[in-house]
Amino acid sequence: MKFGIDMGHNCPPHDTGASGWAQEDNLTRSVGTSLISKLQALGHQVVDCTATRASSVNDSLRQRVQKANSQNVDFFVSIHFNAHNGSAHGTEIYAISSTAREVAQNVLKQIVQLGFKDRGVKSSGFYVIRNTKMPAILIECCFCDSEIDRSKFDATKMAAAIATGLTGQHPRPKNYKLQVTQNTVLKPSTEQSTSLPPESLVDIQLGEYKIVDFSFEEGHYSVVWPDESKGHRREHFVFAGHAKVVAV
């Protein structure tokens, strides 16, 4: 199956989404990149429909829909996070067609099993699900201003739940290692190291390192470390020219 995955917002400065214990665009990117890698590992084609440069919010929305329609994806998924009053919490999914609503129910069921409140499948005229030619859903994974949801949220688990709901397949856990072939740094984004604050960089030496998940973006691996006790952030980018990820 050919999926179109849209990581909502991610078009600074015009479109960065809701704010809370984390910024929405960062959250959608962490879930979306993991979801793409999981769907690909299950044998599906994936088109990244995320817009990263736009002149306005409307331009951002148009780009997402255009990419999905021009690539003739079979099913479109837009990843988002909610924000309201700090006390609202849980997951809700928006869909229009009967086909999309059925898939939305399956996805919601999987996410609720992670402990999130079931806020239901709802109808709405959101631009990206109204203007795509294929069945489409918009997932509000949880509330980024809710401490209740913050305590439950894990990007990798959220992505796995969505993948299972979309396909009926359970992503098989694999063991991965990062092979560093040249002394380099871990970074909080794909920007050049010289453009980032020195305190945000972590030196990493030649060798092999165990990681639990990864995705690929703009010539970089985004890697998830098994723990933070070794000084590494949980997720960080490393230039693919200096390292590679292999399954073991």
Side-chain angles (χ1 to χ4, degrees):
M1 193 167 184
K2 191 174 183 180
F3 289 97
I5 304 300
D6 166 34
M7 300 169 227
H9 307 289
N10 278 280
C11 268
H14 304 291
D15 189 10
T16 55
S19 298
W21 39 264
Q23 187 65 35
E24 185 177 4
D25 57 338
N26 292 328
L27 292 170
T28 62
R29 187 166 59 250
S30 64
V31 172
T33 54
S34 181
L35 175 59
I36 287 173
S37 67
K38 291 180 188 305
L39 289 172
Q40 289 172 332
L42 290 169
H44 299 280
Q45 289 182 272
V46 183
V47 176
D48 186 350
C49 298
T50 309
T52 56
R53 286 187 177 87
S55 58
S56 66
V57 172
N58 287 338
D59 181 35
S60 170
L61 295 171
R62 282 193 296 269
Q63 287 186 47
R64 299 162 199 272
V65 168
Q66 262 182 348
K67 186 73 171 286
N69 289 342
S70 65
Q71 293 290 320
N72 294 312
V73 303
D74 299 311
F75 200 93
F76 178 82
V77 182
S78 189
I79 307 294
H80 287 263
F81 284 75
N82 244 327
H84 183 47
N85 58 7
S87 60
H89 60 99
T91 304
E92 58 196 35
I93 303 179
Y94 292 85
I96 297 175
S97 71
S98 57
T99 299
R101 290 181 67 83
E102 182 178 348
V103 174
Q105 289 286 3
N106 293 336
V107 172
L108 183 59
K109 178 182 177 182
Q110 294 297 323
I111 296 175
V112 167
Q113 289 179 10
L114 299 177
F116 295 96
K117 178 182 177 181
D118 184 342
R119 296 175 61 89
V121 173
K122 304 177 179 181
S123 295
S124 173
F126 287 125
Y127 186 94
V128 293
I129 59 176
R130 178 166 44 87
N131 290 283
T132 41
K133 297 176 182 177
M134 66 294 303
I137 61 176
L138 186 148
I139 306 171
E140 296 281 7
C141 295
C142 64
F143 283 75
C144 68
D145 62 347
S146 163
E147 289 300 321
I148 293 174
D149 283 354
R150 182 180 189 177
S151 67
K152 299 178 175 69
F153 176 70
D154 178 281
T156 302
K157 291 179 180 178
M158 179 66 72
I162 295 171
T164 298
L166 290 172
T167 66
Q169 302 168 272
H170 291 270
R172 295 181 180 179
K174 291 183 179 180
N175 293 319
Y176 298 103
K177 61 183 178 182
L178 178 72
Q179 294 179 340
V180 178
T181 55
Q182 180 176 331
N183 291 349
T184 186
V185 293
L186 301 175
K187 307 182 291 182
S189 75
T190 59
E191 293 180 67
Q192 292 286 338
S193 300
T194 52
S195 302
L196 295 167
E199 64 272 15
S200 71
L201 307 176
V202 179
D203 290 326
I204 186 168
Q205 308 299 314
L206 289 169
E208 296 185 347
Y209 301 84
K210 181 181 177 182
I211 58 174
V212 295
D213 202 4
F214 74 96
S215 57
F216 193 79
E217 179 180 336
E218 297 180 351
H220 290 72
Y221 289 108
S222 174
V223 293
V224 181
W225 301 92
D227 61 63
E228 300 178 9
S229 62
K230 298 177 182 178
H232 301 309
R233 297 188 180 185
R234 180 165 170 71
E235 289 188 64
H236 230 114
F237 290 91
V238 59
F239 179 51
H242 297 164
K244 65 178 179 178
V245 173
V246 296
V248 294

